Amino acid sequence: MTSSVFKDKVVVITGASSGIGRELAYQLAAQGAWLSLAARNAERLETVSAECQARGGRAITVQTDVGEQSQCEALIQETVKNFQRIDVLVNNAGITMWAKFEDLQDLGLVEQIMRTNFFGSVYCTHHALPYLKQAKGQIVAISSLTGKAGVPTRSAYAASKHAMAGFFDSLRIEIAEYGIGVTMIYPDFVSSEVRERALGPDGRPLGSSPVREKEVMSAETCAEMIVKAMEKRKRELIMSFRGRTGQWLKLIAPGVVDRIALRAINQGR
Ligand SMILES: NC(=O)c1ccc[n+]([C@@H]2O[C@H](COP(=O)([O-])OP(=O)(O)OC[C@H]3O[C@@H](n4cnc5c(N)ncnc54)[C@H](OP(=O)(O)O)[C@@H]3O)[C@@H](O)[C@H]2O)c1
């Protein structure tokens, strides 16, 4: 039986036009959630919105570049204008890279990744906080195993995801007194468009994925696991066995974790 924890709950999802964010929207819509869908691609958002409504949810779309603070503020204001409150903010919008640091032609790539993944989450969270306080709501942040360990070809991405962890782990303590929960999500490889869009050494999207996309977790399964963690208001979810064991291994043999990360990148899974 489908759960209905999020029935009539107002959920803002950034990066809802594709991949994990889109799947989350579909699964929450099936519970009857009221969704505020954000991303840059307005046309894709409209398609996701129509599907959410067909699945039993309510949905609005707000074209948003999360790297621009004013647009994050507008996303929150537009959500409240339409739905009068915010119960959950899912900071999911993100971009990655696939390049060694020494090969980068322009350090603008580092800034772009930090602006989207880290500052985008900070901006949306800051503007949503007053409403989350009223609702005793929940913040969900999609980090990555790269937010728990270093990964070659991902220096700036790892920095942005570690930054998210430090930021939200601190914020969790500050806002516990308001009854707001913070759930950190650490996915392993998930099949999506993230790698064909990954920025290469020249700062341009790779155009095709170096990962064996058919052999990694589906966005659907990933979203199911995230929804369960949200329902239980879990503190964090590390999504794979190697991710969970890596946490312990890091304490006693960190070099082994480095080798696992290198092998994952070389093998593309
Ligand atoms: N797939 C994986 O293996 C994996 C593993 C660990 C963590 N993650 C994380 O999971 C999250 C979702 O990624 P995904 O795998 O679903 O990738 P995806 O299919 O590429 O989706 C990324 C989403 O983020 C949006 N986005 C990118 N830049 C944005 C910006 N400046 N402003 C607003 N929206 C923006 C994209 O929409 P527009 O282009 O329309 O703006 C898209 O909806 C990311 O934070 C990613 O780092 C993914």
Side-chain angles (χ1 to χ4, degrees):
M1 201 178 78
T2 313
S3 157
S4 57
V5 171
F6 295 103
K7 185 169 167 41
D8 299 340
K9 297 286 184 209
V10 177
V11 185
V12 179
I13 305 177
T14 67
S17 65
S18 166
I20 298 168
R22 179 173 58 194
E23 267 304 321
L24 264 179
Y26 290 163
Q27 293 182 25
L28 293 169
Q31 289 199 18
W34 300 3
L35 299 159
S36 178
L37 307 170
R40 292 164 303 177
N41 188 321
E43 207 175 310
R44 276 178 158 216
L45 280 181
E46 285 308 325
T47 309
V48 177
S49 168
E51 182 60 29
C52 286
Q53 290 173 67
R55 291 185 190 213
R58 287 175 64 181
I60 59 163
T61 64
V62 188
Q63 187 178 27
T64 310
D65 180 342
V66 295
E68 298 291 333
Q69 188 183 175
S70 58
Q71 295 191 29
C72 296
E73 184 175 9
L75 163 65
I76 299 305
Q77 295 314 327
E78 198 58 29
T79 305
V80 174
K81 197 170 107 191
N82 280 271
F83 293 143
Q84 288 74 51
R85 59 171 204 279
I86 296 176
D87 297 292
V88 186
L89 167 66
V90 183
N91 290 297
N92 166 75
I95 51 169
T96 190
M97 63 188 288
W98 198 292
K100 285 187 176 171
F101 181 67
E102 65 174 332
D103 295 337
L104 296 186
Q105 292 167 19
D106 182 346
L107 291 178
L109 174 146
V110 178
E111 290 172 21
Q112 192 183 340
I113 290 178
M114 287 302 288
R115 200 161 51 240
T116 306
N117 300 359
F118 176 63
F119 284 107
S121 302
V122 170
Y123 298 150
C124 290
T125 300
H126 183 77
H127 291 291
L129 257 186
Y131 305 103
L132 292 168
K133 272 170 85 170
Q134 284 169 17
K136 295 191 191 312
Q138 186 177 13
I139 298 168
V140 181
I142 314 296
S143 177
S144 161
L145 286 191
T146 320
K148 289 278 192 190
V151 176
T153 73
R154 296 289 197 287
S155 52
Y157 181 71
S160 72
K161 296 298 188 180
H162 275 75
M164 284 177 75
F167 175 78
F168 284 110
D169 283 347
S170 305
L171 187 67
R172 180 189 292 111
I173 306 167
E174 289 183 17
I175 61 181
E177 63 176 299
Y178 305 126
I180 305 174
V182 175
T183 301
M184 289 300 296
I185 306 288
Y186 297 94
D188 201 316
F189 282 138
V190 175
S191 186
S192 75
E193 293 176 26
V194 80
R195 276 162 299 266
E196 42 182 287
R197 296 174 180 206
L199 306 176
D202 57 2
R204 297 220 301 267
L206 294 185
S208 66
S209 171
V211 160
R212 301 188 213 177
E213 298 287 342
K214 291 204 173 87
E215 295 180 22
V216 302
M217 183 184 280
S218 69
E220 196 178 351
T221 302
C222 176
E224 278 169 18
M225 291 174 76
I226 295 173
V227 170
K228 280 195 191 122
M230 289 167 63
E231 287 172 356
K232 292 183 185 149
R233 291 172 82 95
K234 281 183 88 165
R235 178 189 177 89
E236 68 173 32
L237 170 65
I238 302 176
M239 281 197 162
S240 65
F241 178 73
R242 70 175 164 190
R244 287 186 294 275
T245 45
Q247 293 312 295
W248 296 103
L249 213 46
K250 224 174 141 181
L251 299 173
I252 47 170
V256 176
V257 179
D258 291 356
R259 286 197 288 282
I260 293 171
L262 179 62
R263 199 176 57 206
I265 293 306
N266 288 340
Q267 294 186 343
R269 69 193 161 108

